[in-house]
Amino acid sequence: MLTLLGSLLGFGTSFLPKVMDFFQDRQDKKHELAMLEQSHQNRLEISEVQAEALATQARYRHDAQITVKAGWFMAAFSASFRPWSSHSLWLLFIATKASLLAVAVLEAWLIYEIADKAGGFVEGYLAGADHLSKALGKIWDEPTTALLATIVSYWYGDRTRKHAFGK
């Protein structure tokens, strides 16, 4: 009986290397297929980036041709439009905030004057200061801080990018 069992076990295990090779081959083919798919995805991404770069170059070439045909005035205007519009919006923002501050200071001064005329110098001073501090909190609010942080971060990030990577 032991001989028969040993023979069957020997016969069955003689196929074990082939079975292991079959599973290893299956794993290898699965891995190769995944690598091939990844390679295809990488080539697709590279071709998309190259197409975008070519489109950008074509846009720049087209803009340059139009600018040359338009003459020096339009070339100067085209070159200065983005900075000019950025500075104009920034000045508009500053003017808006400055006018809000001026109104708040004027209101605080009027509150102080009215209280002072009524005989309460300290109360008028405190009321005016309280009004001004509340107005400043409303003028320099969270959206304003976020906007300023976004603009400053963009410009410094752009400068850093140009310094680190060129262009």
Side-chain angles (χ1 to χ4, degrees):
M1 181 73 167
L2 200 53
T3 307
L4 185 59
L5 188 61
S7 295
L8 286 175
L9 189 62
F11 184 73
T13 56
S14 68
F15 289 102
L16 192 59
K18 287 293 181 187
V19 170
M20 295 298 285
D21 284 344
F22 171 76
F23 284 115
Q24 183 65 41
D25 187 47
R26 188 173 167 193
Q27 251 338 71
D28 288 346
K29 287 180 181 176
K30 190 178 191 181
H31 179 69
E32 287 177 19
L33 186 61
M35 293 296 289
L36 198 70
E37 194 173 298
Q38 182 65 36
S39 173
H40 174 70
Q41 184 67 27
N42 289 346
R43 280 184 277 156
L44 184 62
E45 288 175 4
I46 288 171
S47 65
E48 288 174 358
V49 169
Q50 288 174 339
E52 182 63 33
L54 289 173
T56 302
Q57 287 176 352
R59 281 193 300 271
Y60 284 146
R61 225 181 352 263
H62 180 260
D63 287 350
Q65 289 172 352
I66 288 175
T67 304
V68 167
K69 289 178 184 176
W72 70 270
F73 178 76
M74 287 307 292
F77 179 74
S78 176
S80 67
F81 182 76
R82 286 185 185 132
W84 180 83
S85 61
S86 294
H87 293 306
S88 297
L89 288 172
W90 185 244
L91 288 174
L92 179 64
F93 175 77
I94 290 172
T96 303
K97 292 297 181 176
S99 64
L100 288 172
L101 178 63
V103 167
V105 168
L106 182 62
E107 287 174 345
W109 178 75
L110 288 173
I111 290 171
Y112 165 74
E113 284 294 317
I114 291 169
D116 187 37
K117 294 234 188 290
F121 173 76
V122 174
E123 293 83 8
Y125 179 77
L126 292 176
D130 183 53
H131 175 75
L132 188 58
S133 68
K134 287 178 183 175
L136 287 175
K138 290 179 182 174
I139 292 171
W140 195 261
D141 54 354
E142 187 68 28
T144 302
T145 306
L147 179 67
L148 183 65
T150 302
I151 292 169
V152 170
S153 298
Y154 171 78
W155 287 113
Y156 279 101
D158 187 51
R159 289 183 67 186
T160 304
R161 179 191 53 83
K162 284 180 183 177
H163 179 71
F165 303 111
K167 288 190 178 182

